[in-house]
């Protein structure tokens, strides 16, 4: 699916605009759609890998008699790699470019996932999952940053939610592979992981076919290359390009004809000041703290729940195939969650959409913990999928908008890295909570974490319709 395409508003002559403003004024075109599709496929492949490991752990608990402690180590090793990858990937993206790092991360985790299919013991699987995590953790914030820097300002939030919606497609694919491949026999999990080689091949497509961020190119002084990229998008939209190269994105050569704030959103003064500082500078520290809190709480609850749901269903007495089928049904509810979030994010705004979906996630998690029949398990699980993944879409939309270009990759990557600490803890927390109070306690704790995330989300500044800070 693609975002709705509004009519391009009238604007001053193109020569009076910076390249960033020229991109912001464009309608959503097929060129944007190709970029969204290319980024989204990478995103879906990431989700497929993360989802597959939950089915692999459940399968190994049957075929290898894998303990919950070993299952926790396998899951947490991947999240440890994701924490490091998110932080390092963001830094590299601000220095080497979004496109290069995006392709590199796909290559790393694709090769490591394929190698995981050959693991002969738990130790080897843990090491390989860590390497997989390095690639996965770096890819997600880099992809959202790249897409944010190309999406027209009027629908930027919606575009990023649709990018995040590819996560649902990846999880559905993981559920299908888990149900029909991983559950097929003692070696089914190996064939499931072997599919992970696909991202390694796709990384070549990404490297050759995607444009580099215009804002990054400008910061690197590569103005001719940046101009070619912008003109390509203008040609796709049927918008005339200026007869001379426009000013850099920082506006140093653009002192006339600035576009009106009601046509391409004005950059808040605080964001202009923040461009000279880091993510913990005075203008940015409050939003960084709020964003980190949301990332931590949503990671704790999401990965704690969804990594363990197939195994917890087996614990409730369902066989492997039935538990995987239930998980597939629950996963399908992610798609309408993304669709509603994509609509609301440009109607209610980023902050309210994120807050509402996190609050819904808190209620759904509590209901899942109380579910005691097939019907209530599926209904509560679908509600949890709907609200939780809608919240993820809004979170990825708001993150890159909070920072200026110079630290945008760093800011989104650092928040993701902090969140991965929670995802490392979650797999170990679940067995402890199960012993202490059963599945009711597990999902009550996750509900409380979602509620805290909702409170933190409401502290973030509203960025709907505003231009990205340079």
């Amino acid at each position: 699916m693609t975002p709705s395409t509004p009519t391009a508003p009238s604007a001053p002559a193109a020569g009076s605009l910076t390249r960033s403003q020229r991109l912001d004024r464009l309608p959503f075109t097929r060129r944007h759609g190709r970029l969204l599709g290319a980024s989204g496929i990478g995103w879906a492949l990431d989700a497929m890998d993360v989802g597959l490991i939950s089915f692999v752990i459940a399968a190994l608990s049957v075929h290898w008699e894998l303990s919950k402690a070993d299952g926790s180590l396998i899951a947490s090793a991947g999240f440890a790699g994701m924490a490091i990858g998110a932080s390092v990937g963001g830094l590299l993206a601000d220095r080497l470019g979004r496109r290069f790092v995006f392709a590199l991360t796909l290559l790393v985790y694709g090769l490591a996932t394929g190698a995981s299919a050959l693991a002969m013991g738990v130790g080897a699987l843990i090491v390989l999952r860590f390497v997989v995590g390095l690639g996965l953790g770096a890819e997600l914030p880099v992809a959202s940053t790249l897409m944010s820097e190309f999406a027209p300002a009027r629908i930027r939030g919606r575009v990023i939610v649709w990018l995040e919606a590819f996560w649902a497609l990846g999880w559905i694919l993981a559920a299908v592979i888990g149900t029909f491949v991983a559950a097929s026999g003692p070696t089914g999990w190996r064939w499931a992981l072997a599919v992970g080689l696909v991202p390694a091949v796709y990384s070549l497509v990404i490297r050759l076919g995607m444009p580099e961020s215009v804002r990054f190119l400008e910061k690197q002084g590569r103005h001719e290359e940046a101009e070619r990229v912008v003109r390509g998008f203008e040609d796709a939209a049927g918008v005339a390009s200026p007869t001379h190269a426009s000013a850099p994105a920082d506006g140093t050569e653009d002192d006339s004809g600035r576009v009106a704030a009601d046509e391409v959103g004005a950059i808040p003064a605080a964001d202009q000041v923040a461009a000279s500082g880091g993510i913990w500078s005075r203008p940015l520290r409050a939003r960084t703290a709020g964003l980190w809190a949301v990332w931590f709480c949503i990671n704790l609850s999401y990965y704690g729940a969804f990594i363990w749901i197939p195994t917890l269903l087996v614990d409730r007495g369902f066989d492997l195939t039935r538990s995987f089928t239930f998980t597939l049904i629950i996963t399908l509810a992610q798609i309408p969650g993304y669709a509603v979030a994509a609509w609301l994010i440009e109607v209610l705004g980023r902050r309210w959409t994120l807050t509402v979906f996190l609050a819904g996630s808190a209620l759904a998690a509590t209901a899942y913990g109380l579910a005691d029949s097939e019907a209530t398990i599926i209904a509560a699980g679908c509600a949890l999928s709907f609200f939780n993944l809608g919240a993820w879409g809004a979170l990825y939309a708001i993150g890159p908008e909070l920072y200026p270009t110079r630290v945008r990759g760093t800011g989104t990557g650092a928040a993701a890295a902090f969140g991965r600490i929670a995802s490392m803890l979650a797999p170990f927390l679940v067995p402890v909570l199960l012993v202490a109070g059963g599945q009711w306690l597990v999902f009550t704790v996750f509900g409380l974490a979602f509620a805290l995330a909702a409170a933190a989300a409401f502290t973030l500044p509203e960025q709907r319709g505003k231009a990205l800070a340079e």
Side-chain angles (χ1 to χ4, degrees):
M1 300 182 70
T2 57
S4 57
T5 306
T7 303
S10 60
S16 67
L17 305 177
T18 65
R19 294 188 182 98
S20 299
Q21 290 169 336
R22 286 162 59 191
L23 287 173
D24 274 344
R25 71 182 178 142
L26 298 177
F28 191 91
T29 66
R30 289 184 179 179
R31 194 173 182 90
H32 289 99
R34 287 196 295 271
L35 179 59
L36 177 61
S39 301
I41 290 172
W43 202 285
L45 292 171
D46 276 11
M48 181 191 73
D49 185 274
V50 173
L52 271 177
I53 200 61
S54 67
F55 294 95
V56 168
I57 290 172
L60 292 179
S61 70
V62 174
H63 301 305
W64 282 10
E65 296 183 354
L66 188 75
S67 68
K68 284 188 170 55
D70 285 341
S72 297
L73 284 171
I74 292 171
S76 289
F79 295 131
M82 290 176 80
I84 296 172
S87 181
V88 174
L91 290 169
L92 291 177
D94 284 336
R95 287 161 175 76
L96 302 179
R98 284 63 159 134
R99 180 181 63 177
F100 172 79
V101 176
F102 186 35
L104 178 63
T105 58
L106 286 168
L107 179 65
V108 169
Y109 95 76
L111 292 175
T113 299
S116 298
L118 303 175
M120 300 306 295
V122 173
L125 197 54
I126 289 172
V127 171
L128 287 168
R129 289 307 302 174
F130 175 80
V131 179
V132 168
L134 290 175
L136 285 173
E139 191 273 329
L140 297 175
V142 173
S144 62
T145 296
L146 177 64
M147 198 67 228
S148 291
E149 292 177 337
F150 276 106
R154 299 176 305 283
I155 56 169
R156 185 189 308 118
R158 185 166 296 162
V159 170
I160 302 306
V161 175
W162 282 120
L163 171 64
E164 166 66 6
F166 279 88
W167 187 268
L169 299 180
W171 261 91
I172 291 168
L173 183 58
V176 170
I177 295 172
T179 302
F180 298 104
V181 180
S184 63
T187 61
W189 66 272
R190 295 187 185 276
W191 290 107
L193 287 177
V195 178
L197 284 169
V198 173
V201 177
Y202 187 65
S203 66
L204 299 176
V205 177
I206 293 294
R207 187 68 182 90
L208 296 175
M210 290 181 71
E212 182 54 90
S213 162
V214 171
R215 287 170 170 86
F216 171 79
L217 292 173
E218 296 245 322
K219 295 300 180 185
Q220 298 296 310
R222 295 155 63 181
H223 299 300
E224 291 184 4
E225 187 177 348
E227 181 65 21
R228 286 196 299 271
V229 173
V230 174
R231 287 179 182 246
F233 277 84
E234 288 175 330
D235 289 345
V239 173
S241 300
T243 56
H244 60 281
S246 64
D250 60 11
T252 53
E253 296 178 17
D254 181 17
D255 56 5
S256 63
R258 302 294 293 182
V259 67
D262 61 345
E263 296 191 60
V264 179
I267 302 172
D271 291 345
Q272 298 278 29
V273 174
S276 61
I279 64 173
W280 289 104
S281 61
R282 185 177 296 277
L284 295 179
R285 67 180 58 164
R287 62 184 67 180
T288 295
L291 186 64
W292 282 32
V294 175
W295 266 95
F296 187 90
C297 291
I298 198 173
N299 269 274
L300 183 74
S301 300
Y302 174 76
Y303 287 107
F306 283 89
I307 287 295
W308 281 108
I309 277 179
T311 302
L312 294 178
L313 287 171
V314 171
D315 289 349
R316 289 193 180 199
F318 301 108
D319 62 33
L320 204 58
T321 300
R322 195 164 182 78
S323 70
F324 285 6
T325 301
F326 282 6
T327 305
L328 174 58
I329 294 171
I330 289 170
T331 302
L332 290 172
Q334 295 180 11
I335 295 177
Y338 283 123
V340 174
W343 174 66
L344 285 178
I345 203 163
E346 301 295 358
V347 176
L348 294 180
R350 283 81 161 117
R351 180 174 59 185
W352 269 108
T353 301
L354 181 56
T355 300
V356 168
F357 273 83
L358 286 169
S361 299
L363 295 174
T366 303
Y368 190 87
L370 296 172
D372 57 2
S373 67
E374 289 188 9
T376 54
I377 287 171
I378 292 175
C382 286
L384 181 58
S385 245
F386 176 92
F387 284 108
N388 195 187
L389 277 297
W392 273 111
L395 178 60
Y396 271 105
I398 199 172
E401 295 181 340
L402 299 178
Y403 298 102
T405 299
R406 191 176 62 81
V407 293
R408 185 168 294 124
T410 301
T412 54
F418 185 70
R420 299 308 175 191
I421 297 174
S423 61
M424 284 187 282
L425 297 174
F428 293 103
L429 182 62
V430 170
V432 174
L433 294 175
L434 281 172
V435 172
Q439 294 195 26
W440 174 84
L441 180 60
V442 171
F443 285 92
T444 298
V445 169
F446 292 155
L448 290 172
F450 279 130
L452 290 173
F458 199 68
T459 69
L460 298 174
E462 179 56 58
Q463 300 293 86
R464 179 179 54 167
K466 297 178 182 176
L468 291 175
E470 302 295 351

